[in-house]
Amino acid sequence: MKEIKAFIKPNRIQRVIEALSDNGFESMTLSQAEGTGAFKAKGARPSLDFHVTDSPVVKLELVCQNEEAQAAIETIIANSKTDGPGDGIIYIANIEDAFHIKTGDSLKRYDL
């Protein structure tokens, strides 16, 4: 299994979610975040909550089978890319296993 973490501009997240859902990726987690990357948005300043950040982002997380990861990555890129700088970044990690909290069953036995 692969874990995909994508940091995306907030104004692009809806189209990314819809495209992923249309391609069979329906289970994902979204979090509001702020980044400190190389791209500095015009007029960016630290928020009141975080004193080191300058750019609002949405963190999208999903886990999929190894053979599905490239399709998810391509979908995210195609729907989050803009003509400007600072579109975000995607990280990929291997997931050794996952477990249902209720039953303790390993997700290796099931299709995600």
Side-chain angles (χ1 to χ4, degrees):
M1 293 183 288
K2 298 288 185 188
E3 178 186 27
I4 299 172
K5 290 184 184 181
F7 295 84
I8 301 166
K9 288 183 174 182
N11 65 346
R12 303 301 273 190
I13 194 65
Q14 189 62 43
R15 66 187 287 177
V16 171
I17 293 167
E18 290 171 2
L20 285 168
S21 294
D22 290 347
N23 285 289
F25 300 99
E26 296 177 343
S27 297
M28 60 194 90
T29 300
L30 303 174
S31 305
Q32 289 183 332
E34 294 188 26
T36 59
F39 171 69
K40 303 297 182 197
K42 185 175 182 177
R45 58 179 171 62
S47 73
L48 297 175
D49 298 320
F50 303 102
H51 300 289
V52 297
T53 60
D54 57 26
S55 182
V57 295
V58 175
K59 180 170 74 168
L60 180 148
E61 298 174 89
L62 68 89
V63 175
C64 61
Q65 297 298 334
N66 291 343
E67 60 274 9
E68 299 171 323
Q70 191 59 41
I73 294 163
E74 290 172 5
T75 300
I76 293 167
I77 290 170
N79 290 280
S80 59
K81 185 187 298 186
T82 69
D83 291 333
D87 285 341
I89 193 163
I90 299 171
Y91 297 107
I92 309 301
N94 290 317
I95 300 295
E96 186 175 319
D97 203 350
F99 296 86
H100 285 287
I101 292 174
K102 182 174 276 311
T103 64
D105 289 342
S106 167
L107 289 178
K108 280 186 174 180
R109 299 177 5 168
Y110 304 99
D111 289 330
L112 292 176

